[in-house]
Amino acid sequence: MFYFFVILGTIVSYLLGSIPSSVWIGKVFYGIDVREHGSGNAGTTNTLRVLGVKAAIPVFLIDVLKAFVAVLLGSWLSTYSLASWSCVIPLLFGLVAVLGHIFPIYVGFKGGKGVASLLGVALAVTPQAVLFALVVFVIVLLISHYVSLSSMSAGCSYPFFVFFVGNYSILLKIFAIVIAAVILVTHRKNIARLRNGEESKIF
């Protein structure tokens, strides 16, 4: 029965992560599909460029919250599991929610890069390290004005803070490395545009 709930929770986490906040908010309140404008990405940054701050803020909060809730769901379920599962299930549900954000079933599997949702997962499991990574994000953004570069810088610094700030398990350290890798992979096009001097600045 426990494994049934793990499978069910995994499905729920994916469906939760698949909620395309930017697409739905854009279509309902502005009559615009953000994927057809700007960078074509269904994330906070492109929403900010296309629809402005009022649309970007709820998109960001929803994308963070849906992954955060998935981790909480996993944490609740893990209380009924063996000790060896206690850390695995929250991370599993959180990462599945991120996959849902990147490949949302509701809108043809074309979603965002997953940065905000990864932030939601990381915030739930390693809050202290996330705060330091957010400082890196803000500093790089103020200097460069590139959200993509700021996200990658924060993502790559995150494993360092997990390793050296706080007392986190080896599983969470591996998770931090995976996050950094995922952020770099999902920003491949941004890296190319940065190299070519074609990336758009946020302000």
Side-chain angles (χ1 to χ4, degrees), residues 20-73:
S21 58
S22 62
V23 176
W24 285 354
I25 287 176
K27 287 184 175 181
V28 172
F29 295 101
Y30 299 87
I32 293 175
D33 187 339
V34 295
R35 297 172 301 171
E36 298 175 355
H37 303 272
S39 65
N41 181 257
T44 301
T45 303
N46 197 44
T47 302
L48 179 61
R49 291 195 185 103
V50 176
L51 302 178
V53 175
K54 289 184 179 180
I57 290 176
V59 166
F60 174 76
L61 293 177
I62 292 171
D63 289 348
V64 171
L65 185 61
K66 62 189 183 184
F68 189 88
V69 170
V71 174
L72 293 185
L73 175 63

Side-chain angles (χ1 to χ4, degrees), residues 39-183:
S39 65
N41 181 257
T44 301
T45 303
N46 197 44
T47 302
L48 179 61
R49 291 195 185 103
V50 176
L51 302 178
V53 175
K54 289 184 179 180
I57 290 176
V59 166
F60 174 76
L61 293 177
I62 292 171
D63 289 348
V64 171
L65 185 61
K66 62 189 183 184
F68 189 88
V69 170
V71 174
L72 293 185
L73 175 63
S75 297
W76 171 79
L77 184 59
S78 67
T79 60
Y80 298 93
S81 71
L82 298 174
S84 58
W85 281 84
S86 60
C87 291
V88 176
I89 296 175
L91 286 179
L92 171 65
F93 285 12
L95 290 177
V96 168
V98 174
L99 286 176
H101 176 80
I102 298 173
F103 306 106
I105 191 172
Y106 306 119
V107 288
F109 303 99
K110 186 181 179 183
K113 293 184 173 68
V115 175
S117 293
L118 281 172
L119 174 60
V121 178
L123 192 60
V125 296
T126 58
Q128 189 177 10
V130 168
L131 292 178
F132 283 99
L134 286 175
V135 171
V136 173
F137 176 90
V138 172
I139 291 174
V140 176
L141 182 64
L142 291 175
I143 294 173
S144 69
H145 300 174
Y146 291 118
V147 172
S148 58
L149 181 61
S150 304
S151 299
M152 288 186 286
S153 300
C156 290
S157 69
Y158 173 63
F160 173 84
F161 296 125
V162 170
F163 271 79
F164 299 107
V165 177
N167 185 24
Y168 298 114
S169 67
I170 184 64
L171 180 62
L172 291 179
K173 291 176 181 178
I174 294 173
F175 163 74
I177 295 173
V178 170
I179 276 192
V182 169
I183 288 177

